[in-house]
Amino acid sequence: MSTIEKVSILGAETIHVGYGIQDHIVEVVINTKASSTYVIITDTNMGRTEPFSKLTQLFASKLKELRPESRLLQYQVSPGENNKSRETKAAVEDYLLQQGCTRDTVILAVGGGVIGDMIGFVAATFMRGVRYVQVPTTLLSMVDSSVGGKTAIDTPLGKNFVGAFYQPEYVFADVSFLKTLPTRQFINGMAEVVKTAAIWNEEEFTRLENFSKKFLEVVTAKVPDIESIKHELVKTVLESIRVKAEVVSSDEKETGLRNLLNFGHTIGHAIEAVLTPEALHGECVSVGMIKEAELARYLGILSQVAVARLSKCLVAYGLPVTIDDKEFLKKVGNKRHYVQLDTLLKKMAIDKKNDGSKIRCVLLESIGRCYQLKAHQISKQDLGFVLTDEVLVHPFKDQSLKSSTVIIPPGSKSISNRALILASLGKGTVRIKNLLHSDDTKHMLDAVTALGGAKITTEDNGETIVVEGNGGNFIATNEQLYLGNAGTASRFLTSVATLVKPNKNSLDDVILTGNARMQQRPIGPLVDALRANGSQVQYLNNEGSLPLVIKAGSGLKGGRIELAATISSQYVSSILMCAPYAEEEVTLKLVGGKPISVLYIDMTIAMMKSFGIEVKQSLTEEYTYIIPKGTYQNPQEYVIESDASSATYPLAFAALTGTSCTVPNIGSSSLQGDARFAVDVLKPMGCIVEQSATSTTVTGPPLGHLKPLPHVDMEPMTDAFLTASVVAAVAYDGKNSTAITGIANQRVKECDRIAAMVNELAKFGVKAHELPDGIEIQGVKLEQLVNPSTEKRGIKSYDDHRVAMSFSLLAGLCNQPVLIQERSCTGKTWPGWWDTLHSQFNIQLDGYELPFDADDSSLLIDKHANGDKSIIVIGMRAAGKSTLSKWMATFLGFKFLDLDDVFEQRVGTDIRTFIKQYGWEEFRSKEAAIAKEIFTEKSRGYVISTGGGIVEGEDARNTLKDYTKQGGIVLHLHRDLDETVVFLSADTTRPAYVNEIKDVWIRRENWYHECSNYHFYSSHCDNELEFKHLRNSFISYIKTITGLQVSELSRKRSAAVSLTFKDLNDVAEHLEEIAVGSEAIELRVDSLNKYSKTFVADQTATLRKYVNLPIIYTIRTESQGGLFPDHEVEQLEELLLLGIKLGVEYLDLQSNYPNSLIEKILERKAFTRIIISHYDNTGVLKWTNVEWKNKYNQAVSYGADIVKLVGTATSFQDNLDLEVFRSAANLKPLIAINRGEQGKLSRVLNTVFTPVTHDLIPKQSTNGSSGLLSINQINKAYAEIGGFTQKKFWIVGKPVDHSRSPNLHNAGYKKLNIPYTFDRFETDDASLAVKKLIHEDKNFGGLAVTMPLKLDIIKHVDELSEAAQLIGAVNTVIRSSNDPNKLYGDNTDWVGITTSFARHGVPNIENSNVNGLVVGGGGTSRAAVYALHDMGCKIIYMINRTSSKIREIKESFPADYNIQILETIEQVEAAASVSLVVSCVPADKPVDETLLNKLERFLYHGSTTKNGGFTPTLIEAAYKPRLTPVMRIAHEKYQWSVIPGVEMLVNQGERQFQLHTGFTPPYRVIHDAVVAE
Ligand SMILES: NC(=O)c1ccc[n+]([C@@H]2O[C@H](COP(=O)([O-])OP(=O)(O)OC[C@H]3O[C@@H](n4cnc5c(N)ncnc54)[C@H](O)[C@@H]3O)[C@@H](O)[C@H]2O)c1
Ligand SMILES: [Zn+2]
């Protein structure tokens, strides 16, 4: 047994810590806590683990041995916070009672905090309190929840709201239990560990900083080897427990000291309350700690270094430090926008740790120490500031400004970097102060430590870095030196690495490497110079970039070194600093002209002098330096000069406010260019500047007396131009403006700074304009300064620290508070800027939150619609790329581009000739290059069709993949291979590779899949009509994948028929019939007889061809009652992704799929809706069990659009329980049913997408289908039990005895088995109909209204649809959905027209130039105009026998309908051609000659132009006779496609049926009922 450490709490040593101490636990409990009954309670996760089994087995055998008379009981509850509930507590208590447990019972709670808290609470109240022992098994519970005796359960209104203080007999923290703890839980626990050290124990904090790397390595490994860090872990747990026990002992009931443990929790809890359960406690506390630390910094209590240190440590343990952390966001997904300031403040106010509405936080004073030993009351204003990223700067003049201030801005970055290198090359100990902590310094510190060059420690809580230099003796290490993206570090260390000596194990390489970006940054000129000087340096990957291998011991020879210094002065500094250690004295000559940034070279030389080495400049040669041999002698102390660019802000503050400000460590001797700002800019503008060698003081003139600077060249201090600009904005003398030049480089910084200044200055009413290399600013009088509007979102920072800091100054000169966005961007160089403004300059700042922008669709849907981004089409030759691409281009209003054409244009010959001349390889590489160019050049508004072989080349494949990665659509068009072969064989003009097509396909198939993110399979078309259907289904597919159409989620009753066929092609002709009554159709992919991608794609195409319903794509695995093998996870993933590529409307994901799989699918899902399902086949899980609630909540938190839960009924009661469950689950639409014969009722009562079957679907095709009902059976049963009330529908008008509406509707009711009736009511009196049918009959369902009542009825309805208003007639009346006492009138005649056109293959014409014609001037003509406009006709022509009526129609429609009335034949001749005609003239008498003449001209032109790419189509409004004279002429004489009037009747009836009943009618059935007559 390993050693056991005991910690005492409240006076007793009851906390025992160790590794693998199960024996000890068992012995101590049994020996010291005598009882008749021991109960071990855990959760089912823990119950499965090895350390747990070991514990229970040992317990059982020991008990038998020591107390044979006692019994051991075991109970397991479901895991998770959801179960920390009253229900579960009750279940545990019931169990204990049933088992006859009495007051002497001892309970062992083995598990995480959930188990500890809840079982602790059970123990506290069971029999008024029984003894209990905690065995925490998560890191969090070991270090936190198990210590201190707080127990609790959650209620729906809040976490931990009900509980008690109740101390356990013992706490056994056995670290070996952590072996099975999931990584995320492990990391979660570290938040509390870091917290405890941060408030109490700096030494432990330092140890934790050093342990982080190893910790993260181990816990994130595929198979974590916890044993390998057991000592560190035990220590970690122990130290944390010690602190907590100490604090608790002095303050058990949390009245004072114990509050300190809540550091990070005030804000953390509020965040957790919003983001639970997606975010874990520790993660939220981690973010909370940083926010609370920033609060302390803001209040002037905590230093920036300490905040940075805390943040760095948390990050090193894999914890988030901001809500916008990428990994963290992935977990909380679209809940991010719930985290709003108001919400957080409310949550904080009700946190029970806060009393009343006062919010308290623990303030850190330094790492390891709190500011006073209590929590402090914090103002909402201060909290608001730290919790938001927008800031309102209040007017400076309202505040009590100090007349003088001393500010030390953060250290200079360049000086910090140099100081570190020199100190580690030097001999002796130096204390470096005011170091700027950046990536560069961090990587340099790590690297010199790894090379043994220096010992580095910190003092003053991290404020001082102590470097103990080793005189330049570096020893090779087998650790690669990783430098991230730290540019300066990589350059400085490359030269340093040449000084490294081999180590004793004759290891003689030093490897410098960095991240991907770093591996592209140049370092060539430096390496060349070093190589030329005898150093052995090699590139590992890319020539000219890191990683580098540097041979240790090869040294620097010295002598004359030449270096091109026109690229980077850092190369020069790098060699200069190492030069004293060369074998011979170095003469460094900079070649290639004037070196850039000479100031930085001077800075290096000056600093070398401070470290004891004096460089001489050659007197004879230009740009040549002589560096003597020697060793740097570290000074005792080196204070890093503050950053001179940063210093411009406080100095400008003084200038603008008429106060004084001193920066005590920058003066005239400074080598930083920006140090001249005060003298060269502020002084001539009217400030008093006093500068010594090392200090600068600026005093501003009285308010309003700054003078413009007609011209200043800021080339030596470009970064300071922004500060100068805001000062110039209020420098006014009535004549001059300020022109700043020499700053062209500022256009390519974090943003185009010149443009940014011009834009934002304008918001203050200050005119400025760009100069070729600068900016000119027209200063204004102070009182003319305009307040930038907060509503218009104030001032933008462009994520640029300098923009933000500059404008924070100008903001204060306004009369009103000014909003500055993204304030945290100042973190790049001065994270504490705002704190300085607040606590040193006394400026009032407020947090501000931009209003949540509900129009920002990215917050509502997970993926942006494609917009006008170009779409790339790939696929085999003859797959229909050109045709379908053109359809798509027409529909989207994009241009079509064929890449092959582009190729031929560019090379000037056709492809075949090109290949003959240059060969395939050249062709492919040229093709790839052109593709790459075109995809960028034509990235918007194009459909780009590619050559079939484009996927053959790797470059082209990468280009395609990159396109998808950037969110673009690459669509793979796929057609049956046999058809392709037939097609190509028939085409003799193509090269003769026909025989090899199959091989080609086999070779390319995977490439096509790999390179595309969408996939459309064109099904085989036998005839023209099928071809039209293909077009419709393709366009509908395009709408789905581009996000133009997102399937609507409705909660009304609907059914989804489940197709469990092996191959849909076998039943293709029955599919329409099978789908009758369903609102969606489920494709059970698992029941297909092949799982190949091609086959599955073909199945969806078949389905789409025959049924126009959303597809639910389901792969049910064997364990959930389906046919798909559970272990084929890879294939499962492929097929699920295929579903998304195929653009299915719904995808079913089983909750038992691996997490990573679910997450991946959710990430890729685009516009497909997700159903998350869970099946229980055992029947063991009753609906009263909280487990179902967990499953539901879990699915919701994953982001399911619909949740599907399927239980198994073993008794009728199961259905009733299910209904109770259903009524409580209303977060997301729920499909919940019971399988089994006894579960049928649940299918009848389910609302959304009830799974149904059909007589034509084989019964036994899958197991688990028992209890399935057809839609007819369900509706019948639902009616029988009173679910549907009887409803009556009528056709009213006169005459109505020939109306076919009753046939149509009644046939539909019958087919669907709904208990409605539809009758005739003949009258020409609208009031009578309303009185009799509606007012006097409570069963009234709806009216179909015909002549002559379509207008009269309007005055009786309360609401009108837009169509009814514009058409000016009502043909359908129902009760209003808002208020059943009101009536709603609609007109469905126009739908009859649009649907008929669509069913006849007229494509969507919204973006093409198609015109329409309406013949006639009656009521139907009005509907026709509405219909043609709705379809997208650009011009609607109207002709009639007489014009007066159509004039009236034209008048009554909006002008954008573009109705044109043609009266003369000449006008008709001059008109554009039309492709759609609606004929609304009576068909029972001959058509007027002249009218017919006009019509025929349209018919003639229409058939010759074929505008819109489809056969022009005419619809006849009259439905008798079936073939009217107009139809005959149109079809026979002009080859128009014609639609008989009866179709229109059926199609309008279909919509009417829907409005009346809420159900989609069976189309075929109602159609036949009308036509059959
Ligand atoms: N009483 C207190 O002072 C106090 C303090 C902090 C937190 N808490 C409470 O603690 C709870 C959180 O505790 P937690 O973080 O331990 O969560 P938890 O108990 O839910 O455990 C996390 C997950 O890990 C599983 N698990 C636990 N031990 C495991 C192991 N060794 N191997 C594999 N899986 C294991 C659990 O089944 C669970 O799924 C919260 O309810 C919180 O309110 C209480
Ligand atoms: Zn906590």
Side-chain angles (χ1 to χ4, degrees), residues 653-667:
F653 181 94
L656 290 167
T657 52
T659 60
S660 279
C661 177
T662 302
V663 173
N665 63 352
I666 301 180

Side-chain angles (χ1 to χ4, degrees), residues 84 326 334 362 367 432 492 546 552 730 879 955 976 1028 1050 1060 1085 1113 1240 1290 1306-1307 1501:
K84 201 173 133 181
K326 249 172 133 184
N334 48 16
V362 173
I367 297 294
I432 302 180
F492 288 1
L546 259 54
V730 290
D955 283 350
D976 180 57
K1028 289 174 176 173
S1050 147
T1060 48
V1085 177
Y1113 183 97
K1240 284 180 175 169
W1290 306 90
N1306 284 323
H1501 285 304

